[in-house]
Amino acid sequence: MSDFWLVNGWRQQSCATRDVDRYLRQARERGFHNYALVRQGRWYWLACSADATLTQQFDLALTVRRTFAKLYQGIYLALWQGQVVCVAWQGERLQHCVACQHDADGLHHIELLVQRIASNGKGQPSVLFAKQTPADIVNLCERHLCQWRLLFEQCTVKELQPPRAAKLKSLQLAPPWQQRQRVLAVCLVLMLAAAAVGWYLWPTSTTPVTATSVVRKLSPPAGVEIDLLNQLPQLFAGFQHLAGWQWRSAQLQGEQLQAILVPSFGRAEELRVQLPAGWELHDQGPQVLLKHSRSAKRLAVKGASQTLSWLDTSQRYFPSLAIQSGTPGQNTTYRWQQWQLRLPATDLLELARLASLLQQSNLRITSLRMQNGSRLQAELTIRLYQLLPISHGERTS
């Protein structure tokens, strides 16, 4: 994910949407191509990028703030692509998001930022050091932030899981409130046009008309949404540290996620109090079966997009990922394309990052198998669904 991050972007903040509209006009005038706009409390955070080559990019500042959402004030420091990354915030306000070279000038710049922030600490401010943070950065913070909490071994930039809201989009797309205004205006025009046409064509006499129509039930297709991959780190949180138990494997059965645990010295009644919320425990003699149920969602009625850019870019971000095309199929309601994805050595965070590559709304996971050993092995089958055309006299419900 390192190629995805926006760090040194053009950033603005405001509580008023009119200010944000003005900033977006300025960004277009200055030649920026993409932007991320998210509401953080009462404030809007705006980040703009001039890089038009990347197909997707995420705002690092928002990702860090959402990752450490419980901290009122903090500074996140990490080493990323030979640069020192610094993200600082206080409440709903972003104070700094910058990447400097790891040299004397870069360290001096970071020191000036730290000195400026140190005099304005509130509550219980914390300094978050990512894994492998250089010692000179740590020493610098220990000198100037002696009253702050120093938290070590935090997740690296590569391990951060960006929320969907942090993804940059084209500056040609309007912000949400402008889109709502346009939709309301179009709806009003259509309603007035329909009323005018209806009044003009209103018949002077009515003739009974008998019509028959067939209702097609749009039940959810097989599989679960790709968002399951984003939830895996939270669902399996703590599985590696269960006292007396080892997690061996997991798989998707229909819409239910199942995991197999085997004991080393633990008992089933002790395991119940260690499990995260949402798991059901079923004792099966020498092993334990855990179940986590999920609810199916309907497919988007609009036809699925056939742009499969992730097939071309997957090797760039996931070199060990093997993709094999399956046999297309269809039933009375949907047709689909199918692929099998294999990761011989992976982890839950990499599977979550894989979800950001699979962006089409009509993609579903129909099979998922994970084998836990010295390294996690994963194999999943995904389908891209498309609603079959509706025949004459048929409607959906």
Side-chain angles (χ1 to χ4, degrees):
M1 290 292 292
S2 60
D3 293 338
F4 288 57
W5 296 114
L6 170 65
V7 184
N8 293 331
W10 187 68
R11 299 181 180 275
Q12 299 293 334
Q13 300 176 78
S14 179
C15 293
T17 56
R18 63 178 180 274
D19 291 337
V20 177
D21 290 335
R22 177 165 51 84
Y23 296 147
L24 289 173
R25 288 195 301 270
Q26 294 176 2
R28 297 186 188 100
E29 294 170 356
R30 296 183 182 190
F32 291 99
H33 297 282
N34 305 305
Y35 78 104
L37 178 63
V38 178
R39 188 167 183 172
Q40 185 70 24
R42 296 178 299 106
W43 288 81
Y44 290 96
W45 288 17
L46 173 66
C48 299
S49 169
D51 192 344
T53 60
L54 291 177
T55 57
Q56 59 181 356
Q57 200 175 16
F58 294 88
D59 180 18
L60 180 66
L62 177 66
T63 301
V64 170
R65 186 66 184 95
R66 294 288 174 88
T67 302
F68 303 101
K70 295 183 179 181
L71 297 180
Y72 176 80
Q73 184 174 10
I75 303 175
Y76 174 79
L77 293 163
L79 189 64
W80 171 67
Q81 294 186 346
Q83 296 180 312
V84 178
V85 172
C86 175
V87 179
W89 69 90
Q90 185 180 80
E92 302 169 356
R93 298 294 307 275
L94 177 66
Q95 294 177 304
H96 299 285
C97 180
V98 65
C100 305
Q101 291 297 327
H102 186 208
D103 54 19
D105 291 338
L107 290 176
H108 181 63
H109 185 59
I110 295 296
E111 184 174 17
L112 292 177
L113 294 181
V114 168
Q115 289 176 342
R116 185 184 308 168
I117 298 171
S119 61
N120 202 19
K122 293 184 179 180
Q124 289 185 324
S126 303
V127 183
L128 304 154
F129 296 105
K131 302 168 189 174
Q132 302 175 354
T133 301
D136 47 8
I137 298 294
V138 176
N139 295 335
L140 185 151
C141 293
E142 288 177 342
R143 290 198 310 270
H144 297 286
L145 301 173
C146 57
Q147 302 299 323
W148 290 42
R149 291 187 305 170
L150 304 182
L151 305 178
F152 296 88
E153 294 299 312
Q154 303 300 314
C155 55
T156 63
V157 173
K158 185 178 180 181
E159 294 171 343
L160 290 172
Q161 180 180 338
R164 185 173 300 179
K167 184 177 180 180
L168 272 70
K169 57 185 179 181
S170 172
L171 266 170
Q172 303 304 317
L173 298 177
W177 54 86
Q178 289 186 9
Q179 295 179 13
R180 288 193 295 267
Q181 292 171 358
R182 294 176 183 178
V183 170
L184 289 175
V186 170
C187 290
L188 180 60
V189 170
L190 291 177
M191 290 172 61
L192 292 174
V197 171
W199 177 83
Y200 179 77
L201 299 178
W202 189 267
T204 56
S205 62
T206 59
T207 303
V209 177
T210 302
T212 58
S213 65
V214 179
V215 178
R216 185 198 292 186
K217 296 288 186 179
L218 288 184
S219 58
V224 299
E225 292 186 296
I226 297 295
D227 192 52
L228 170 64
L229 299 179
N230 280 323
Q231 300 174 13
L232 288 178
Q234 181 179 359
L235 288 173
F236 286 85
F239 269 40
Q240 301 288 359
H241 308 290
L242 294 174
W245 293 86
Q246 295 180 347
W247 168 44
R248 285 291 176 85
S249 63
Q251 63 179 346
L252 189 65
Q253 289 287 349
E255 298 167 7
Q256 192 175 71
L257 188 62
Q258 299 182 357
I260 297 294
L261 272 66
V262 296
S264 53
F265 59 84
R267 295 180 298 175
E269 55 269 21
E270 298 171 342
L271 177 61
R272 295 180 189 275
V273 299
Q274 302 182 60
L275 292 177
W279 288 97
E280 298 178 5
L281 187 148
H282 300 268
D283 197 350
Q284 294 187 340
Q287 64 185 22
V288 164
L289 174 65
L290 302 181
K291 297 182 178 180
H292 188 280
S293 299
R294 306 182 58 79
S295 58
K297 293 186 178 180
R298 289 189 178 185
L299 199 70
V301 174
K302 184 179 179 182
S305 171
Q306 298 303 312
T307 303
L308 303 174
S309 59
W310 57 272
L311 286 174
D312 301 323
T313 59
S314 59
Q315 291 299 312
R316 176 183 177 186
Y317 304 111
F318 302 92
S320 63
L321 177 64
I323 302 178
Q324 181 179 355
S325 297
T327 305
Q330 74 175 52
N331 54 25
T332 57
T333 308
Y334 306 105
R335 69 166 58 98
W336 60 80
Q337 298 173 267
Q338 185 166 287
W339 299 270
Q340 190 174 56
L341 282 64
R342 292 188 182 91
L343 284 165
T346 185
D347 54 49
L348 296 175
L349 288 174
E350 185 178 35
L351 290 174
R353 292 194 296 273
L354 179 62
S356 65
L357 204 65
L358 310 174
Q359 292 295 313
Q360 285 151 308
S361 61
N362 287 357
L363 277 174
R364 295 291 187 273
I365 302 173
T366 58
S367 172
L368 172 62
R369 295 184 179 89
M370 296 187 293
Q371 195 71 29
N372 191 29
S374 58
R375 288 299 305 271
L376 183 65
Q377 302 177 18
E379 179 180 306
L380 62 154
T381 303
I382 61 173
R383 284 182 182 177
L384 177 63
Y385 287 97
Q386 186 175 14
L387 184 67
L388 291 176
I390 300 174
S391 60
H392 179 70
E394 188 180 17
R395 58 191 177 90
T396 60
S397 69

